[in-house]
Amino acid sequence: MRSALYGCAASFMSSAMWAAIDGLRLDTAQRHFDRAATLAAMSGDSSIQFRVWSHAGMLYRRLGRHTDALAANDVARGLPVARRDPLFASLGLARQAVISGETGDRRGAQQSIGNAEEALGRAAADVQRPMWLTAFYDRAELENLALCASFNAGDFRGAEAHAHRSLALLRPDMHRNRAVISADLAYAQLRQADLEPAVATAMSIPAEFTHHPRVTEVLGDFARTLQAIAPSSPFARNWNQHVHDSRRAPSE
């Protein structure tokens, strides 16, 4: 009973930590991590420990602390649940690829994605797993993480291909994920100088999701890059007009 209570508390703190990371409130996420890690260790549950340390890897990556990010993700991947269950192993490998891509290790990122795909293929569907894992991690999310890994490594063509596959596989109710992936897709297209599809993709994102911190971040980079490479193009004018109209819409 005590273990279950600690595990429940750790799960709540881990959810708060993830929400803070997703909202780019990284100082808050760090505080949640410190508490979540303590509670997870007290629970003795390696599945919640995996969740906490895997989130820590993403937090440290966001902070630019890549050595710490790799170390945290290694802790997650070394836990008994990740050695026992290929689905956990696959998620750990996919997140490893994202970190590797950001350090410029394109070969390591590609290898980790390949290993993640192999592990996902071995994961039995009839095994009981925590809802936090099964609610989001599937082939679509693997493709999303492969998109991030490829983009971070500078492979924009590969990132675009992964984005298209992720969007095709995404569950209909995953609206926030679709907006984030679409923003990444638009930016990957732009980095290949494919201006027309890039702007069309960016403009397809529903207005209600453009205020999500991660979407806002990517679209900000998108706008600055578009302005730098083609400031006088009709595509830049269309994008600027779209942004202008979107900002006016709520008051009208």
Side-chain angles (χ1 to χ4, degrees), residues 195 226-237 240:
L195 273 62
L226 180 60
Q227 183 63 29
I229 66 176
S232 302
S233 69
F235 308 111
R237 290 195 296 271
N240 292 335

Side-chain angles (χ1 to χ4, degrees), residues 176-194:
R176 168 261 185 203
N177 286 35
R178 187 170 299 278
V180 172
I181 296 166
S182 294
D184 287 337
L185 170 59
Y187 198 20
Q189 291 169 326
L190 183 62
R191 293 297 296 268
Q192 298 173 79
D194 292 335

Side-chain angles (χ1 to χ4, degrees), residues 71-171:
N73 201 62
D74 281 344
V75 171
R77 292 176 56 212
L79 289 164
V81 70
R83 297 195 301 269
R84 181 175 66 246
D85 189 334
L87 193 65
F88 280 88
S90 178
L91 177 56
L93 285 161
R95 285 179 169 167
Q96 187 89 356
V98 177
I99 302 168
S100 295
E102 197 154 283
T103 64
D105 182 8
R106 182 181 294 192
R107 182 176 179 181
Q110 291 174 339
Q111 183 176 3
S112 292
I113 288 298
N115 291 337
E117 290 174 345
E118 187 275 333
L120 183 60
R122 290 189 288 107
D126 58 350
V127 174
Q128 186 173 2
R129 298 181 175 94
M131 184 176 294
W132 65 261
L133 178 64
T134 57
F136 85 99
Y137 190 62
D138 54 13
R139 175 66 62 177
E141 179 62 14
L142 175 54
E143 292 289 350
N144 180 28
L145 292 170
L147 150 65
C148 296
S150 297
F151 193 99
N152 290 344
D155 178 12
F156 304 120
R157 185 178 297 276
E160 180 180 3
H162 287 300
H164 284 300
R165 287 197 287 269
S166 183
L167 289 170
L169 293 166
L170 201 63
R171 286 175 253 178

Side-chain angles (χ1 to χ4, degrees), residues 17 21 33 50-61 68-69 72-73:
M17 176 185 173
I21 294 170
F33 165 61
F50 177 97
R51 185 185 188 192
V52 170
W53 283 100
S54 184
H55 283 172
M58 292 187 290
L59 169 61
Y60 289 134
R61 181 181 68 81
D68 290 335
N73 201 62

